[in-house]
Amino acid sequence: HVQIEDVIARRVQVKQETSQAASRHKTDLANETKYGIAKFAKAVLQVPDNLERAAASVKPEELEKDVELKHMKESVSKMQKVVDQTLMKFGVKEMKVEGEVFDPQKHEAMFAMEMPGKDPNTIFHVMEPGYEIHDRTLRAARVGVAKGPAAYARGNHAPRPRAAPADLGRRLRRAGRAASKRRP
C-alpha cells in the first residue's frame, strides 16, 4: 500500500511540475515574441534621433531663402513619419514626458534647477526622448528636472544651532549643585 501511495503522490507531483513548466514556457514565449526585438529596436533609435537633429538644425529663415533645403527638410519630415510608424508597428513608441513627475524607471535626470512655477521633481526639458516597447522602458528619456527652491536663496534661513559657550560645562555643574541644595 505504501508503494502505491508513493507512486500516486509522485504522479500528482509530476503532473503539477509539467503544468507549471508549460505555463512558464507560454509566458517565456509571449515575452520573447513581445520583447525579442528590444536590442535591435534600441540600436535603431539612432535613426529617429538623427532625423530629429537634422530637422531641428534648419532655421526657418534659411528655408525661405533656399528651395532645395526646404525640399530636403520635407523629405526628412516624411522619413521621420515612416520611421515612427514602423516603430509603432513593433510596439515601440516615444514617451511624452514633459510636465510629468520624474520617475527613475523611465527618466534619466541630466540636470536639476529651480524653475519658478514648476513643482519640484517635474520634468521641464527633454534633452533626448525616451522610448517604450509595449509596457517596458526601452531607453530612458534624458531630462531636466525642476528642483525645489533653495531655503537660503530667499532668506528663509532655518535657525542655526548656536555654538555652546565655552563655559557651558561649568554653568551646568553649578546649576546642578544649586538645585540639589534646594531639595529637602
Side-chain angles (χ1 to χ4, degrees), residues 102 108-112 127-128 141-145:
F102 178 78
E108 181 180 351
M110 302 307 290
F111 63 93
M127 294 178 69
E128 184 177 71
R142 293 183 174 172
V143 298
V145 181

Side-chain angles (χ1 to χ4, degrees), residues 146-183:
K147 68 178 183 178
Y152 295 109
R154 295 201 175 110
N156 299 334
H157 299 289
R160 287 187 179 165
R162 293 191 335 212
D167 64 343
L168 179 63
R170 188 179 76 222
R171 287 183 187 179
L172 291 173
R173 283 192 300 276
R174 191 179 295 158
R177 277 183 284 197
S180 65
K181 288 181 184 177
R182 283 187 239 137
R183 285 189 210 141

Side-chain angles (χ1 to χ4, degrees), residues 97-145:
V97 298
E98 196 158 335
E100 286 188 10
V101 175
F102 178 78
D103 177 357
Q105 299 296 320
K106 296 181 177 184
H107 313 124
E108 181 180 351
M110 302 307 290
F111 63 93
M113 61 187 284
E114 285 185 47
M115 288 299 295
K118 298 278 184 186
D119 292 333
N121 290 330
T122 301
I123 296 168
F124 68 90
H125 179 72
V126 179
M127 294 178 69
E128 184 177 71
Y131 287 85
E132 292 177 317
I133 183 167
H134 301 288
D135 57 347
R136 292 183 186 173
T137 300
L138 181 62
R139 181 180 77 190
R142 293 183 174 172
V143 298
V145 181

Side-chain angles (χ1 to χ4, degrees), residues 18-176:
T18 304
S19 174
Q20 287 175 353
S23 174
R24 221 176 10 254
H25 178 70
K26 276 185 184 177
T27 304
D28 290 347
L29 192 59
N31 282 338
E32 186 62 32
T33 301
K34 216 173 181 184
Y35 305 109
I37 64 161
K39 287 181 182 178
F40 175 73
K42 193 169 184 178
V44 169
L45 292 180
Q46 295 175 33
V47 175
D49 289 344
N50 288 330
L51 290 171
E52 179 61 34
R53 280 190 276 273
S57 69
V58 181
K59 296 177 183 154
E61 53 273 7
E62 292 174 340
L63 290 174
E64 292 171 8
K65 295 176 188 174
D66 192 342
V67 176
E68 188 177 330
L69 186 60
K70 186 176 180 178
H71 289 300
M72 288 174 68
K73 180 155 179 1
E74 289 171 358
S75 296
V76 167
S77 295
K78 287 177 186 175
M79 183 57 73
Q80 281 179 294
K81 288 177 186 171
V82 169
V83 169
D84 289 343
Q85 290 170 351
T86 303
L87 289 172
M88 287 288 281
K89 284 181 187 175
F90 292 95
V92 178
K93 64 181 180 182
E94 184 177 329
M95 292 187 274
K96 304 297 180 199
V97 298
E98 196 158 335
E100 286 188 10
V101 175
F102 178 78
D103 177 357
Q105 299 296 320
K106 296 181 177 184
H107 313 124
E108 181 180 351
M110 302 307 290
F111 63 93
M113 61 187 284
E114 285 185 47
M115 288 299 295
K118 298 278 184 186
D119 292 333
N121 290 330
T122 301
I123 296 168
F124 68 90
H125 179 72
V126 179
M127 294 178 69
E128 184 177 71
Y131 287 85
E132 292 177 317
I133 183 167
H134 301 288
D135 57 347
R136 292 183 186 173
T137 300
L138 181 62
R139 181 180 77 190
R142 293 183 174 172
V143 298
V145 181
K147 68 178 183 178
Y152 295 109
R154 295 201 175 110
N156 299 334
H157 299 289
R160 287 187 179 165
R162 293 191 335 212
D167 64 343
L168 179 63
R170 188 179 76 222
R171 287 183 187 179
L172 291 173
R173 283 192 300 276
R174 191 179 295 158

